[in-house]
Amino acid sequence: MTNHVADLANSDVILIIGNNTAENHPTAFRWVIKAMERGAKLIVVDPRFTRTAAVAHLYVPIRSGTDIAFFGGLINYILQHKLYQEEYVREYTNAPFLINPAFGFADGLFSGYDPVKRTYDKSSWAYQLDGEGLPRRDPTMTDPNSVFQLLKKHYSRYTLEVVSAVTGAPKGALEEAYRIYAQTGKPDRAGAIIYAMGQTQHTIGTQNVRALAIVQLLLGNIGIAGGQVAAMRGLHNVQGSTDLAALYNNLPGYLAAPTNKDQSLTDYLKRVTPGAKDPKSLNWWKNYPKYIVSLLKAWFGEAATRENDFGFNWLPKITAGRDYSHIPLFEAMLRGDIKGFIVIGQNPAVGGPNSNLERKALEKLEWLVVVDLWETETATFWKRPGVNPEAIKTEVFLLPAASWLEREGSVTNTGRWVQWRHKAIEPVGDSKPDLWITNQLIRRVRELYRKEGGVFPTPILNLNWNYGEGLPAAQEVAKEINGRALADIRDAEGKVIVEKGMQVPGFAALQEDGSTLCGNWLYSGYFTEKGNMAARRDNSDPTGLHLYSNWAWNWPVNRRILYNRASVRPDGTPWDPKRAPIRWDPEKKAWVGDVPDGPQPPGAIYPFIMLPEGVARIFCTPLADGPFPEHYEPWESPVPNLLSKQQINPLSKIWESELNRRGDTAKYPIVGTTYRLTEHMQAGGMSRNLPWLVELQPEPFVEISEELAAEKGIKNGDRVIVETSRGAAEMVAVVTKRLKPFHVNGRVVHQVGIVWHWGYEGISRGDSGNLLTPHVGDANTTMPEFKAFLCDIRKVV
Amino acid sequence: MARKAMLVDTSICMGCKGCQAACKEWNDLPAVLTRNTGSYQNPPDLSAKTWMTVKFIEYEADNRLQWLFFPMHCMHCTEAPCVFVCPTGAMHQVEGSFVVVNTDWCIGCRYCVQACPYDVARFDSDLGWVRKCTFCIDRVENGLPPACVKTCPVGAIQFGDRDLLIARARARVEELKRLGHPNANLYGETQLGGLNVLYILLQPPAVYDLPEQPKLPSRSIALNWLSGAIAAVVLPTFPLWWIIKRRMDAEAETSSSKGGKPV
C-alpha cells in the first residue's frame, strides 16, 4: 500500500475492486467502516455481490477480466468532465512530457510490436529529450504528443456504451460509480482504491493495477491522507517475505537479482543504477551501490572485500530474460529438470494453478522437503487419490514446523508496518521454528562442503553465518537486517555519526566502501541502538490522521504515507490544510507530521523520489505489454474483444500442452472465477484441520445464478461437477441472487464462482478449485490467470 | 447499577462469523458436524452446542438486492417467557438483564424450549439440561465484554448501558434512513418488556423471521402447577371409579376360573 491500513479511515470515497475486503481482511475492514462512520461512500465492483458489497453504498457488477474496461471508462469520464486535479497532474506526473512522435496505437497493438518474437521494440515509446537530456514538457498539456493528449485519445474509445457492452455492467451503475469516485479529484477530497488478487491474477494483471494507478494520479490521490493505492496482501507476512526476496528476481529490499550478464559488481551497478540529470530529481535508487555492498557484507562478512567485489560473484545468478516464477518452475519440474524441492509453509498442490499438472510435476522430483504444521496435500501428493504410490520415486521429508504463536520474530503487514511478535507457548512435540530449521540446514550443508568439497564451495564456506548451534535469537537476525557499522562512519564534515559496532539509525548511514553491513536496506531503522522499533506499542495519534507513528515501525524510515511531498503544492502549502500529512514549518525550517520524503524545503525536489524523472508515470515505458493499459480478453473468453482485433494480451505467458489445453466456448461457455472465504485460509492447511472453522464452512462449493441453475436443472444444495479443459471438480451448488447473468454486447454470458480452499487432506476434504485453472500468466509477472477462464457445469446424477 | 445490554448493528455486520467462533471457544463448546446445504449459514441453526449463529438472508425488493446478516443468539428478554414457565426456577434472570440457566436446578422438562418465541433455548441430551447463550455472564461479572463483542472486528456488536445503547441506536436508525434505508428500524426496545439484546435492522423484522410482538405464554407457573395438580387429582377419578366398579362386578361374578386382571 502507498499508505497503510488505518489511513483508510481518512478516505472520502473508497472503491473496492478485485478484492473482497470484508471477506478476506475483516480486521482491516474496520478502518473502512470507520471511514463510512464519517460519511465516506463505499463502492464495490465485483462479478459477484460479496460480503463487502453487502455493506456498500453502491455495487457495480462486472464480468471477470474486464477491469481495464471499467477503469478506461473512468479515466475517460474524468478527462471528459475535467474532474482531474490539474495542478497536481501537471506538476507531479509525466502528463506534460512529450513522447516520440513515432508512438502510436492501432488495432490493439502499440507501435513497435514484433509478432515473431512477441515483444515490443520500445524506442517509439521514449520521451523526447531537450539539449540537456531532460524530458521535454508542455505545461499546457495541449501538444498532441504530450502524455496527457495521448491518454485522452487512447481512452476516448472507452465510452459508457462500450464499457457497458464489454463488462456487462448497467450504464446507470457505471455512471454513478464514476460520478461518485471522480469527486475525489477535488483538492480537499481523498479517494482510496483497494485491490488484490481480483486485479493481479489475470494475463493483464499488471496493467489492471496500472489503470487504477492512473486514476489515482489524475485525481491527485497519491501522497495524501485518505488517498492511496491500497494493495491488500493476502497473508499476515507476505509483505515481509517479498521484502526479504521471496521472489526470484529480487535480492532483499527489491534489489535486482544478478544475471549471467553481470560479470562484475561494476557491470551489475551499471545495469541497475538509474541516472537522472534533473537536479530536482532525488532519484533515490542512485544509492544502489550502498545497498548492494552492505548486503554483501551482511552475507559474506569479512570474506567480502573490495578486491573480490565484496563477493558479488558468489551470488547465484539467473539467466537474463528467463522466467523462474511459479508456472515455469512447475513446467520445468514436469519435464524432469528439477531434482529437489523445498516447500516452506506453502501448499502448491492446492494453491497452484492447474492442480492436475502441478501434482504430476511433483512426481518427477527425486526428493521433496515440506516444512509445515500439517501434513498438507503437497506432502502427501505421492499417495493422493487416484495414484499408485509404488510408481512414484520421490523421497519425501516432512519437517514439523512451529506456528507463529510458538516462536518470536517480526511480521510485516500489507501497510508496510513491521510488528514484533512474542512467543506465547513452547512448540508442540518435535516441531521447530523456521529459524532453527534454516540454521540446521545451512550448518549441516556447510559442514558437508567443508568435508567433501563439492562444486564451488566458496560461497557457502564464506557465508557470514554465526548464529550458534540451537535456535538463532530472532533479535540477532533482526539487528543484522537493520544493519551496523563495521568502522566509524563519518559525515561530510568528518564528524562520526555512527561508531564502529553500533547499529545504524537508518539507510542514510549505509556506505558503499564495505564499512557497513545491512541485510535489507528498506528495514534499516527497525532495530537500532534505541532498541526494537517493531515492538513499540504506543497508539497515540497526535495529528488525528491515524498515523500512529509510534506504534511498531514501518519501512521506509517509518514514513507512513509514501510520496507525501505530493500532498503539498510546489510552494509547500497543503492541498487540504485540514488533512495534511506533512506541513512546512518556516521557523524550524523543517517538515512536521509524518516523516517527509526528504527534508529538502518545498519545491526543491520532485515528490516521486524512487523514479529518475521524479514525477509519477501516467505513461509507463518499462512494462512489457504497453505504456497505457489496454483491455484484452482473458486467455479463455466467451466473447470477442470489442475494443480491438487483438483478442488476448499479445505478451501473455502461455504454456499450452496436453495437460494445459485452452477450452473453446462451444464446450465451455460459462465464465469461471475462483476466490476465498472468511472461514478458511488459502490452501486450507491452517483451517481445514480446525473443527471450529470446518463447522462454519464444511464443503467446497460453486456459486451460480438462479437463471443458470434453472437452465441446468440445478437446485440449491445439489452436488454438481464444474469442468474445464484441464480438470473437473465436484462441488455443492449454492444457487444465489448475488450472481446474475451478464449481458455482454447483447449476448447472455453466465458466470460462476468457485472456492479453492479444498484438497484431499484435513478433517474437511474436497475437490480443489485449482483443478480447473490454467497454466497461463501475466505478461510482466507471470501471475497465473486464476480469475477468468471458461468452464461448464452439470448436476451429479 | 444501570441495566446492561448488547446492541447489534446489522448494517455494519459483514457476516464474518467471528462471533460464532469466539462463542464456541470461550464456552468450550464442541464443533458440530455440518453440511453445505446451499448457504453460507452454518451451523444452520442454534442447538445445545451452538449458542450463536449468523443468519444469511438474500432479500431482493424494489430492484435492490441486499444480503442481510443477522447474528442470532439469546435475546435476554426482560419478561422472558422461558423464565416465566420454568417450574424449578433454573431459568432465571440476573441483574434485570441476563437470562441464565442454573444447570443444577434444570430438570430438562423443556417447557422453556417450547415457550421461547425465538427458538433459542435447546435441550442438551448428553448433559440432560437446557443450554443457551449466557451473555458471557462469567466475563461480564469480571469487567470484560462478552466474547462476541470483543471479537467483532468492526464493532457491530456493542455492549454497555441499555439506555445509552438505545439512544445511539435511534440516532443510527435515522442516519440509515438518510443513507437510503427507509425501512431501517430498532428491534427490541419494547418487545417482551424490552430485549436486552437489541438489533438495528435494515428491513422489517418479518424479513429476518422475527416476531413483531412476541407474547408471553398466557398462564403462569403457579397456575400451571395448580391446574396440573388439580387435573392430576380430578382427571383419574372417573376412570378409576370405572375400573374399581368393573372389578367389583367381576369379583361378584367370580366363581369362574376366568380371573382376568382388571383393565
Side-chain angles (χ1 to χ4, degrees):
Chain A
M1 291 166 111
T2 54
N3 296 4
H4 55 95
V5 178
D7 181 74
L8 289 167
N10 293 322
S11 301
D12 297 307
V13 185
I14 297 175
L15 170 63
I16 298 181
I17 180 165
N19 176 240
N20 189 355
T21 323
E23 182 89 43
N24 297 309
H25 303 84
T27 312
F29 196 69
R30 78 185 311 135
W31 300 100
V32 175
I33 293 288
K34 277 190 203 283
M36 289 164 69
E37 281 167 4
R38 269 181 45 243
K41 292 280 181 287
L42 175 62
I43 306 170
V44 168
V45 181
D46 200 296
R48 179 181 60 122
F49 188 101
T50 59
R51 282 190 251 208
T52 310
V55 298
H57 296 99
L58 177 62
Y59 163 66
V60 181
I62 62 166
R63 170 173 63 101
S64 278
T66 62
D67 307 88
I68 291 179
F70 176 84
F71 284 120
L74 177 52
I75 292 170
N76 190 33
Y77 184 94
I78 292 168
L79 294 173
Q80 297 301 331
H81 291 84
K82 290 192 170 40
L83 294 168
Y84 47 91
Q85 195 176 335
E86 184 168 356
E87 200 183 341
Y88 183 107
V89 171
R90 187 176 56 248
E91 298 296 329
Y92 296 153
T93 76
N94 67 1
F97 287 23
L98 301 182
I99 303 297
N100 185 336
F103 172 75
F105 175 84
D107 289 338
L109 295 170
F110 296 96
S111 47
Y113 183 62
D114 180 337
V116 173
K117 288 199 208 136
R118 287 183 78 228
T119 56
Y120 278 107
D121 168 352
K122 299 182 193 172
S123 41
S124 64
W125 303 1
Y127 296 144
Q128 293 179 26
L129 300 176
D130 65 17
E132 282 153 50
L134 298 177
R136 285 183 61 206
R137 296 164 194 248
D138 168 22
T140 69
M141 301 193 289
T142 54
D143 188 313
N145 290 314
S146 64
V147 165
F148 190 80
Q149 292 301 329
L150 292 169
L151 183 79
K152 215 167 164 192
K153 188 172 162 198
H154 192 85
Y155 292 104
S156 62
R157 301 149 54 232
Y158 290 76
T159 62
L160 268 179
E161 286 70 27
V162 167
V163 175
S164 178
V166 171
T167 60
K171 263 172 65 178
L174 282 171
E175 197 163 11
E176 184 62 4
Y178 292 170
R179 186 190 66 77
I180 297 175
Y181 198 74
Q183 284 171 10
T184 65
K186 296 199 194 78
D188 64 349
R189 282 267 155 283
I193 302 184
I194 299 180
Y195 79 92
M197 302 298 101
Q199 291 297 287
T200 60
Q201 289 177 345
H202 293 273
T203 44
I204 49 172
T206 307
Q207 296 291 356
N208 282 340
V209 182
R210 272 276 299 142
L212 61 92
I214 290 176
V215 166
Q216 291 296 70
L217 289 170
L218 286 175
L219 297 173
N221 278 334
I222 302 293
I224 65 171
Q228 57 172 318
V229 165
M232 296 306 277
R233 306 205 68 171
L235 291 152
H236 68 317
N237 197 24
V238 60
Q239 183 69 52
S241 72
T242 57
D243 292 345
L244 277 116
L247 301 175
Y248 78 89
N249 56 333
N250 292 154
L251 292 176
Y254 302 104
L255 302 176
T259 74
N260 56 333
K261 295 232 171 89
D262 307 318
Q263 289 296 306
S264 68
L265 182 58
T266 315
D267 284 348
Y268 171 82
L269 286 171
K270 203 162 150 204
R271 177 171 72 84
V272 302
T273 315
K277 297 201 167 88
D278 196 327
K280 284 171 77 172
S281 169
L282 199 56
N283 185 28
W284 198 255
W285 278 118
K286 68 184 178 217
N287 294 302
Y288 234 110
K290 302 176 184 169
Y291 306 150
I292 184 72
V293 172
S294 300
L295 177 66
L296 291 167
K297 287 300 287 183
W299 285 1
F300 299 116
E302 299 197 341
T305 65
R306 204 185 274 288
E307 287 68 45
N308 58 30
D309 254 359
F310 298 106
F312 176 77
N313 283 322
W314 302 333
L315 293 174
K317 294 177 185 170
I318 57 176
T319 303
R322 187 167 158 187
D323 188 343
Y324 295 76
S325 63
H326 183 101
I327 293 180
L329 173 67
F330 274 82
E331 291 281 339
M333 208 183 289
L334 188 65
R335 284 196 301 271
D337 294 346
I338 313 270
K339 304 267 179 283
F341 194 27
I342 303 179
V343 179
I344 307 180
Q346 213 211 352
N347 190 6
V350 172
N354 198 333
S355 309
N356 281 327
L357 188 159
E358 298 208 347
R359 291 167 188 175
K360 259 203 127 34
L362 291 170
E363 294 178 12
K364 299 288 181 61
L365 293 169
E366 282 182 17
W367 55 266
L368 168 70
V369 178
V370 174
V371 181
D372 213 304
L373 274 67
W374 310 99
E375 196 173 20
T376 62
E377 287 78 359
T378 303
T380 64
F381 80 90
W382 52 275
K383 51 174 180 170
R384 67 188 189 277
V387 305
N388 174 14
E390 304 281 324
I392 296 169
K393 305 294 171 226
T394 317
E395 191 172 6
V396 180
F397 302 87
L398 177 59
L399 302 183
S403 75
W404 56 273
L405 285 161
E406 297 159 324
R407 53 197 166 111
E408 126 172 86
S410 67
V411 292
T412 307
N413 75 7
T414 194
R416 296 170 286 103
W417 287 19
V418 186
Q419 299 185 90
W420 197 259
R421 293 280 180 80
H422 302 279
K423 182 165 106 169
I425 52 175
E426 287 302 317
V428 167
D430 285 335
S431 65
K432 298 281 184 216
D434 292 345
L435 270 183
W436 186 92
I437 295 174
T438 310
N439 191 30
Q440 287 304 309
L441 275 174
I442 298 292
R443 285 174 60 85
R444 293 171 195 222
V445 165
R446 186 170 58 178
E447 197 46 39
L448 285 173
Y449 270 101
R450 260 198 206 118
K451 285 208 195 101
E452 301 177 11
V455 177
F456 197 33
T458 319
I460 309 299
L461 297 179
N462 284 346
L463 275 178
N464 179 31
W465 194 277
N466 308 303
Y467 302 107
E469 287 179 15
L471 175 66
Q475 285 83 353
E476 289 310 309
V477 180
K479 283 186 190 166
E480 195 180 297
I481 291 174
N482 179 86
R484 75 174 146 274
L486 301 170
D488 282 349
I489 308 297
R490 292 168 198 280
D491 66 12
E493 281 90 50
K495 179 165 147 255
V496 174
I497 50 171
V498 190
E499 279 173 31
K500 174 175 171 172
M502 298 283 115
Q503 295 292 105
V504 297
F507 50 62
L510 296 178
Q511 304 295 318
E512 62 186 279
D513 61 5
S515 58
T516 53
L517 67 79
C518 176
N520 185 339
W521 72 276
L522 270 182
Y523 278 54
S524 197
Y526 115 93
F527 210 120
T528 62
E529 288 303 319
K530 292 204 191 112
N532 186 349
M533 299 288 113
R536 297 185 305 170
R537 291 291 182 268
D538 173 0
N539 65 351
S540 58
D541 181 25
T543 62
L545 289 178
H546 303 287
L547 289 174
Y548 306 111
S549 300
N550 294 322
W551 179 281
W553 182 92
N554 80 283
W555 64 259
V557 295
N558 209 31
R559 179 179 303 127
R560 303 265 142 149
I561 296 180
L562 297 181
Y563 314 117
N564 55 29
R565 291 184 76 108
S567 69
V568 303
R569 294 187 180 81
D571 69 3
T573 56
W575 300 110
D576 182 3
K578 289 205 216 81
R579 275 185 301 194
I582 58 170
R583 219 182 270 281
W584 179 251
D585 184 328
E587 281 175 27
K588 288 192 197 154
K589 289 213 169 41
W591 296 94
V592 292
D594 191 13
V595 175
D597 241 329
Q600 293 82 349
I605 56 166
Y606 299 127
F608 287 88
I609 64 168
M610 298 310 285
L611 296 176
E613 304 95 311
V615 296
R617 291 173 181 159
I618 286 183
F619 187 93
C620 182
T621 319
L623 294 176
D625 44 357
F628 284 141
E630 169 67 9
H631 171 75
Y632 300 111
E633 288 287 323
W635 186 58
E636 288 187 331
S637 163
V639 293
N641 186 357
L642 282 179
L643 266 311
S644 76
K645 292 201 203 103
Q646 186 61 33
Q647 176 69 6
I648 63 170
N649 183 342
L651 271 73
S652 26
K653 309 258 182 83
I654 299 167
W655 283 263
E656 207 155 357
S657 70
E658 258 311 293
L659 287 174
N660 191 53
R661 282 180 285 118
R662 187 184 200 176
D664 69 81
T665 326
K667 196 157 178 226
Y668 302 111
I670 302 171
V671 174
T673 192
T674 55
Y675 41 72
R676 286 170 277 192
L677 299 166
T678 311
E679 297 87 344
H680 282 289
M681 185 61 178
Q682 310 289 64
M686 295 302 278
S687 55
R688 286 185 291 107
N689 283 298
L690 295 180
W692 281 327
L693 293 178
V694 168
E695 171 191 69
L696 301 178
Q697 286 283 13
E699 303 179 79
F701 58 88
V702 53
E703 289 180 282
I704 72 177
S705 68
E706 294 179 329
E707 292 82 350
L708 179 61
E711 256 181 52
K712 298 276 183 176
I714 294 169
K715 283 193 320 302
N716 195 21
D718 278 350
R719 297 201 73 81
V720 296
I721 304 277
V722 188
E723 189 179 306
T724 66
S725 252
R726 288 146 314 265
E730 185 176 316
M731 304 261 154
V732 174
V734 172
V735 178
T736 173
K737 299 181 189 332
R738 295 173 293 101
L739 266 171
K740 301 226 189 291
F742 289 104
H743 295 272
V744 178
N745 202 31
R747 266 188 60 181
V748 170
V749 172
H750 289 292
Q751 166 140 10
V752 299
I754 297 117
V755 299
W756 62 266
H757 299 289
W758 269 265
Y760 41 80
E761 292 298 341
I763 300 171
S764 172
R765 301 177 177 196
D767 281 351
S768 304
N770 276 316
L771 287 164
L772 310 169
T773 52
H775 249 214
V776 300
D778 173 70
N780 292 283
T781 60
T782 322
M783 174 68 103
E785 192 157 60
F786 291 108
K787 292 287 179 180
F789 49 88
L790 287 180
C791 64
D792 197 12
I793 183 167
R794 64 178 185 279
K795 192 169 152 168
V796 170
V797 195
Chain B
M1 192 183 60
R3 218 165 93 202
K4 294 281 180 233
M6 276 197 257
L7 171 64
V8 184
D9 184 353
T10 66
S11 73
I12 57 174
C13 171
M14 33 180 203
C16 75
K17 302 182 191 166
C19 52
Q20 285 182 229
C23 176
K24 290 256 169 165
E25 209 181 1
W26 178 258
N27 293 299
D28 255 326
L29 294 166
V32 302
L33 199 62
T34 51
R35 298 303 306 261
N36 187 323
T37 54
S39 169
Y40 277 48
Q41 188 167 328
N42 252 321
D45 192 11
L46 297 178
S47 71
K49 313 280 191 223
T50 299
W51 298 352
M52 176 143 208
T53 193
V54 179
K55 285 192 194 169
F56 284 73
I57 302 161
E58 289 184 17
Y59 182 70
E60 200 160 24
D62 304 319
N63 251 333
R64 183 199 191 163
L65 174 63
Q66 285 179 303
W67 202 10
L68 305 169
F69 308 127
F70 186 85
M72 174 83 204
H73 58 45
C74 175
M75 301 295 207
H76 295 277
C77 316
T78 300
E79 286 168 20
C82 56
V83 172
F84 191 62
V85 302
C86 178
T88 64
M91 192 70 80
H92 64 289
Q93 195 162 65
V94 174
E95 284 167 39
S97 290
F98 321 127
V99 176
V100 291
V101 185
N102 181 335
T103 54
D104 290 338
W105 286 85
C106 176
I107 56 172
C109 72
R110 284 108 123 173
Y111 281 178
C112 56
V113 175
Q114 308 272 355
C116 177
Y118 301 105
D119 197 15
V120 166
R122 303 297 173 92
F123 179 68
D124 190 328
S125 45
D126 297 327
L127 296 170
W129 53 71
V130 161
R131 306 183 85 193
K132 67 170 192 68
C133 161
T134 63
F135 209 113
C136 275
I137 192 159
D138 48 350
R139 289 178 61 93
V140 170
E141 281 176 345
N142 283 287
L144 299 172
C148 54
V149 173
K150 172 92 167 120
T151 298
C152 180
V154 293
I157 312 185
Q158 298 154 45
F159 167 70
D161 179 83
R162 192 172 188 272
D163 291 333
L164 282 175
L165 290 177
I166 287 179
R168 195 187 292 168
R170 285 196 186 136
R172 176 66 179 155
V173 166
E174 291 315 304
E175 189 186 4
L176 285 168
K177 287 180 174 160
R178 277 195 303 275
L179 288 172
H181 295 281
N183 298 334
N185 63 94
L186 172 61
Y187 183 84
E189 217 180 323
T190 57
Q191 285 83 354
L192 291 170
L195 305 181
N196 293 301
V197 178
L198 304 135
Y199 287 84
I200 295 173
L201 304 176
L202 290 173
Q203 292 295 343
V207 172
Y208 300 83
D209 263 333
L210 294 169
E212 206 61 65
Q213 286 298 336
K215 304 238 182 310
L216 276 177
S218 48
R219 302 203 294 179
S220 76
I221 326 160
L223 277 177
N224 275 345
W225 277 77
L226 186 59
S227 62
I230 292 169
V233 168
V234 166
L235 278 175
T237 307
F238 175 70
L240 213 51
W241 166 82
W242 186 78
I243 290 162
I244 293 168
K245 182 180 182 302
R246 270 204 66 189
R247 186 176 172 162
M248 282 164 62
D249 291 346
E251 272 172 3
E253 277 181 46
T254 304
S255 53
S256 75
S257 52
K258 266 197 192 164
K261 275 190 188 166
V263 181

